[in-house]
Amino acid sequence: MAIIGIAIGVAAVVGLGMVTDNLSKSTENALTAGAGDFSVIAATGPNNGGGPPGGMGGDQVINQTKVTEISKITGVGSAVGVLRTSVDLSNSTNTTTNSTSGPSNFRSMTSIIGIDSSSISMDDIVVTNGTVYSNNNEVIIGKTAAQEMNKTVGDNISISNNTFKITGIYETGNFMDDRGIVMSLDSLQSLTNKTGEVSLIIVKANNGTDATSLATKIQNNYPNELTTSTSLSGMDRMNNGLDVINSGSWAVSLLAMLVGGIIVIITMLKAVAERTREIGVLRAVGWTQKRIIAMIMGESIVLSFIAIFVGLVIGVGIVELLSTTNILRGIMPAFSIFLFLKGIGVALLLGILGGIYPAYRASRLSPTEALRYE
């Protein structure tokens, strides 16, 4: 019974640890899955500083060769060039203009984004209906733009006297981009006579690489030429949210330890109560209080070692079972050496702390009262 009690405590700590220790990373992966971490833009021009991924960027363009250069920097997972412009589709000629149209014609301008079809997720573009474009004569249209223009999948749309087929409808959560149109980078470069140029480069850091440090590194590699920008302090907000998750994970682990400790104390008290007569006999034949304490504490530690194995099997088994049944959807349980050592430490700690009071209580038993105990 004592082994089962301690094993439940160990299983609670290890099982919850497998989930909570990786909860922060799972959440971060879910929040940033596919999307770029920051954008790289030209450091000069009227809009110095440019915009974030999903933003319009500045008037200045970047040579497309910089995309390849940045992708080779240590810590960069992927980099993709994006060209942005805007066009007045109500105009019969659909003349394209730069990305900073004046406020007088803001409502009539439609954002046009050029990006490789395989990289649209880097710009937070999600196709909700239809498919992404597969050639230079196809486009996808934002949900808001489709509603305003009464367009749907399969329709044609004219842009700068060129006809494109709409293959899908997308959403980004960004008002301006959802009023826009996305096409291949080659198509937009051809329409705007900007072959080999991009407005910005969206960068995603490798797993384990700090995006803020990477952004600073890239900026330092191209002084007075390129600068970087995160999305509306989104990185800071995400980091604050992950800090809260980490605090919650620690709270859950501590709660599991508290529950495990209570289980151990109750179990050991019950074990001592069941052996009251035995302890009375030992006291009657001359065992000292210190020897009784050492016996109970030793047994508690031995039981803890046995419970380590049982608890690990129970804890890991339950978590793996929940994981395979998709109950822990979106969370990636992780078992590490640190968690293994943590389980051992918790078991020994609970065994020692849980055995102190029962051992002390056993040592205080009067031999005559213990022998009369039924």
Side-chain angles (χ1 to χ4, degrees):
M1 183 65 185
I3 293 176
I4 295 176
I6 299 174
I8 290 175
V10 174
V13 171
V14 173
L16 287 173
M18 289 182 64
V19 176
T20 59
D21 285 359
N22 210 34
L23 180 59
S24 175
K25 188 62 180 179
S26 298
T27 303
E28 182 179 358
N29 289 340
L31 292 174
T32 60
D37 294 312
F38 58 90
S39 62
V40 178
I41 53 175
T44 58
N47 292 328
N48 187 23
M56 296 303 292
D59 289 337
Q60 298 296 314
V61 292
I62 305 171
N63 192 301
Q64 196 171 347
T65 57
K66 291 292 190 296
V67 178
T68 303
E69 293 176 11
I70 290 176
S71 67
K72 294 180 180 179
I73 294 177
T74 303
V76 174
S78 55
V80 58
V82 180
L83 182 62
R84 288 175 172 271
T85 188
S86 54
V87 62
D88 184 359
L89 293 182
S90 63
N91 187 312
S92 60
T93 60
N94 294 160
T95 305
T96 58
T97 183
N98 62 48
S99 59
T100 54
S101 303
S104 60
N105 61 351
F106 169 79
R107 295 289 299 177
S108 63
M109 301 306 294
T110 299
S111 169
I112 308 294
I113 303 171
I115 183 173
D116 290 339
S117 60
S118 60
S119 304
I120 62 172
S121 62
M122 288 277 283
D123 205 11
D124 277 334
I125 298 172
V126 178
V127 176
T128 57
N129 185 20
T131 60
V132 71
Y133 43 86
S134 59
N135 58 60
N136 291 344
N137 297 317
E138 297 175 343
V139 299
I140 55 177
I141 186 170
K143 180 179 179 181
T144 303
Q147 294 172 345
E148 292 177 350
M149 301 177 193
N150 195 28
K151 295 289 186 179
T152 189
V153 175
D155 291 348
N156 292 328
I157 188 169
S158 178
I159 304 174
S160 298
N161 297 320
N162 289 269
T163 300
F164 297 88
K165 181 181 179 180
I166 298 174
T167 62
I169 296 175
Y170 71 86
E171 291 185 62
T172 64
N174 179 299
F175 171 74
M176 286 298 298
D177 286 349
D178 285 350
R179 292 187 70 249
I181 295 171
V182 180
M183 62 177 63
S184 69
L185 179 60
D186 290 341
S187 293
L188 190 55
Q189 287 175 332
S190 177
L191 286 178
T192 56
N193 294 318
K194 291 183 178 180
T195 301
E197 297 177 330
V198 294
S199 303
L200 61 130
I201 302 170
I202 300 177
V203 178
K204 184 172 181 61
N206 275 327
N207 289 336
T209 300
D210 181 69
T212 302
S213 300
L214 180 60
T216 302
K217 179 180 180 180
I218 292 175
Q219 194 164 309
N220 292 338
N221 285 358
Y222 298 92
N224 302 319
E225 183 179 4
L226 301 177
T227 187
T228 59
S229 175
T230 55
S231 180
L232 301 175
S233 300
M235 192 178 298
D236 292 335
R237 290 200 300 271
M238 184 183 71
N239 288 336
N240 291 336
L242 294 178
D243 287 340
V244 173
I245 291 175
N246 284 329
S247 298
S249 298
W250 272 106
V252 171
S253 296
L254 290 175
L255 179 60
M257 291 179 64
L258 177 61
V259 172
I262 293 174
I263 292 174
V264 172
I265 292 174
I266 293 175
T267 302
M268 292 305 297
L269 282 174
K270 189 175 186 302
V272 169
E274 292 173 348
R275 299 172 60 190
T276 299
R277 288 180 61 85
E278 177 189 340
I279 294 172
V281 172
L282 295 175
R283 292 282 285 139
V285 297
W287 278 43
T288 63
Q289 290 183 343
K290 290 183 178 179
R291 192 173 180 183
I292 294 295
I293 291 176
M295 180 188 72
I296 299 298
M297 291 298 299
E299 290 178 357
S300 179
I301 293 175
V302 170
L303 291 175
S304 296
F305 275 109
I306 298 174
I308 288 173
F309 175 75
V310 179
L312 288 174
V313 172
I314 295 175
V316 174
I318 291 177
V319 172
E320 289 297 329
L321 179 62
L322 294 177
S323 179
T324 55
T325 55
N326 289 328
I327 294 179
L328 300 177
R329 185 173 300 175
I331 300 177
M332 300 175 292
F335 187 81
S336 62
I337 296 298
F338 173 75
L339 186 58
F340 176 74
L341 296 176
K342 182 179 177 182
I344 295 177
V346 167
L348 294 177
L349 179 64
L350 294 181
I352 293 173
L353 295 180
I356 289 176
Y357 176 67
Y360 173 77
R361 183 176 176 181
S363 70
R364 302 293 294 177
L365 287 173
S366 168
T368 55
E369 292 180 0
L371 290 171
R372 288 198 303 264
Y373 181 82
E374 295 294 338

